[in-house]
Amino acid sequence: MGNDYEDECRRSLAEEQAKSLATSNNWEHVDRERVHQDWDVLYREITAHLDNGSLPGDQQVQGLVRRHFDIACRFYTPSRQAYVGMSLFYAEDEAMRAFHNSYHPQMVDFLGAAIKVFAEQGSGFAPDAGAGASA
């Protein structure tokens, strides 16, 4: 994945989140406590797969990433690029990296790789706002 594509993903995430926040009164429709509970359960399941040597592209892991995507969609439905941008945010933001890696020291890297596979193969994304970009 090249730097141009990663930059596009970061931009997509920022633009799509800003638009969603503005049109939803800062995501007031989201039950944040429930979202955090669901992500906690999910991250614990992903940790078990990490400990068992699963790979990001494994079918069971991709099923878990589908659940991650579905939880993220409670806020808004991201494009493929914005979803990859979310994985970059997890890796690049110190607090997000620390939070995710508190479940497992390799969580951010593993989840990021799994999200990239999902973005290439999964479905349910919002249309890409950019001109002809693809995951």
Side-chain angles (χ1 to χ4, degrees):
M1 183 177 308
N3 288 336
D4 288 344
Y5 180 70
E6 288 180 357
D7 288 344
E8 176 188 341
C9 292
R10 288 180 190 96
R11 273 191 307 276
S12 293
L13 178 67
E15 291 170 5
E16 292 175 29
Q17 282 188 345
K19 181 179 177 183
S20 177
L21 283 162
T23 60
S24 67
N25 195 26
N26 294 317
W27 296 326
E28 73 177 354
H29 65 283
V30 176
D31 181 345
R32 293 170 195 249
E33 183 177 335
R34 180 64 191 201
V35 164
H36 290 287
Q37 289 170 355
D38 291 347
W39 264 328
D40 179 64
V41 168
L42 178 64
Y43 291 153
R44 291 176 193 282
E45 290 179 48
I46 293 172
T47 294
H49 284 273
L50 266 161
D51 288 340
N52 291 332
S54 295
L55 299 174
D58 289 350
Q59 185 176 4
Q60 288 181 322
V61 171
Q62 286 300 297
L64 295 172
V65 175
R66 164 54 70 186
R67 284 177 41 208
H68 181 274
F69 177 77
D70 290 344
I71 294 168
C73 286
R74 294 180 198 171
F75 295 89
Y76 74 101
T77 302
S79 67
R80 291 178 193 277
Q81 291 77 15
Y83 193 50
V84 171
M86 186 183 299
S87 73
L88 295 171
F89 177 66
Y90 290 171
E92 296 166 355
D93 181 84
E94 187 175 322
M96 291 301 281
R97 177 176 273 284
F99 168 75
H100 286 86
N101 283 349
S102 71
Y103 286 91
H104 190 285
Q106 297 168 335
M107 177 66 80
V108 167
D109 293 336
F110 185 82
L111 184 58
I115 284 173
K116 289 171 187 160
V117 170
F118 184 82
E120 293 170 1
Q121 301 173 358
S123 62
F125 295 98
D128 174 26
S134 64

